[in-house]
């Protein structure tokens, strides 16, 4: 599991790595300190450990300012409500 120290922001990923990530539509961010936080990505409501089925993104962690996602061996943080369009 990636720690905050070596966790890359999505914007820091190389272009080639970004090309392997499907489009991400980040529609909602509900952070509850001490509670069950959820995000809505590509129309699916997800909590920690859930997989967004169309993109195979796994929610690793939900923070106040964003979400940590994993796809394959790539782990990155996406700031709340930021998206990615893969053309």
């Amino acid at each position: 599991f990636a720690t905050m120290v070596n966790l890359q922001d999505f914007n820091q990923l190389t272009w080639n790595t970004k090309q392997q990530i499907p489009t991400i539509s980040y529609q909602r961010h509900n952070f509850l300190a001490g509670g069950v936080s959820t995000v809505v990505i590509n129309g699916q409501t997800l909590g920690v450990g859930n997989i967004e089925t169309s993109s195979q993104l796994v929610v690793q962690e939900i923070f106040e300012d964003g979400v940590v996602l994993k796809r394959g061996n790539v782990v990155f943080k996406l700031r709340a409500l930021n998206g990615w369009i893969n053309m």
Side-chain angles (χ1 to χ4, degrees):
F1 185 76
T3 62
M4 288 305 292
V5 176
N6 61 10
L7 185 62
Q8 278 195 298
D9 187 84
F10 182 78
N11 295 324
Q12 296 173 313
L13 298 177
T14 66
W15 180 249
N16 286 343
T17 300
K18 286 181 182 178
Q19 289 307 297
Q20 299 168 31
I21 309 287
T23 294
I24 300 169
S25 175
Y26 195 158
Q27 295 141 315
R28 188 169 297 141
H29 184 88
N30 296 324
F31 175 80
L32 295 172
V36 177
S37 300
T38 59
V39 293
V40 177
I41 294 176
N42 298 341
Q44 278 189 261
T45 301
L46 306 165
V48 173
N50 293 155
I51 300 173
E52 196 287 302
T53 48
S54 67
S55 63
Q56 294 299 297
L57 288 163
V58 181
V59 177
Q60 298 269 288
E61 194 73 56
I62 298 171
F63 294 111
E64 196 169 353
D65 64 344
V67 63
V68 178
L69 299 171
K70 181 177 185 197
R71 185 167 196 273
N73 59 359
V74 180
V75 178
F76 58 91
K77 181 175 179 183
L78 189 60
R79 275 177 252 155
L81 306 180
N82 280 4
W84 160 246
I85 308 286
N86 189 331
M87 299 288 199

